[in-house]
Amino acid sequence: MSSILEKISAVTLKTDKLAIPEWEVEIGVREMTARERVEFGDNAKKIPHAAAVRLIIDCATDPATGAKLFEKAHQDMLLGKSGDIIDRIATKICELSGLTDKAAEDLEKNS
């Protein structure tokens, strides 16, 4: 029988695929790690215009391999893309990570 730590270690992050018709691609996305979630919150306060792009750099993947799709060097390129597309990708990552409007409302109700 596995120990509690082994069970926790074996759990993987949630993933999904997202079609981006404007780019004629499908990308993979995964939920944020706890560290990425903290960094996303910090980035949203300090550099709101780049927070979504940094989130995408951290959590967008190649759907075939699961490898990271972007590197930090791609930030300026992504900042030059459609805000609607960037928002769609970031929203999907937030949904996988439990950061939805409904989750925020539930948290407020329970506070």
Side-chain angles (χ1 to χ4, degrees):
M1 181 173 211
S2 296
S3 73
I4 293 171
L5 183 56
E6 288 170 332
K7 287 181 181 181
I8 294 168
S9 295
V11 176
T12 59
L13 298 171
K14 291 179 269 184
T15 62
D16 204 350
K17 294 178 184 174
L18 183 64
I20 312 295
E22 299 90 339
W23 293 350
E24 299 180 2
V25 298
E26 180 176 71
I27 65 169
V29 289
R30 66 162 174 77
E31 74 177 302
M32 292 177 252
T33 64
R35 176 174 311 184
E36 289 164 344
R37 197 166 168 158
V38 169
E39 289 172 357
F40 177 63
D42 289 346
N43 287 337
K45 292 175 191 167
K46 294 177 190 172
I47 47 169
H49 65 283
V53 166
R54 289 188 178 187
L55 178 62
I56 292 166
I57 290 169
D58 287 339
C59 298
T61 63
D62 179 324
T65 65
K68 283 184 70 164
L69 196 55
F70 302 109
E71 300 296 329
K72 289 183 182 189
H74 296 119
Q75 180 172 311
D76 286 340
M77 181 271 295
L78 289 168
L79 283 168
K81 298 301 175 193
S82 164
D84 176 55
I85 297 169
I86 296 300
D87 285 348
R88 254 187 286 149
I89 299 168
T91 297
K92 184 63 175 177
I93 295 166
C94 287
E95 288 172 359
L96 285 171
S97 303
L99 295 177
T100 62
D101 290 341
K102 183 178 179 343
E105 288 170 12
D106 291 346
L107 185 61
E108 278 184 29
K109 288 177 189 174
N110 295 324
S111 297

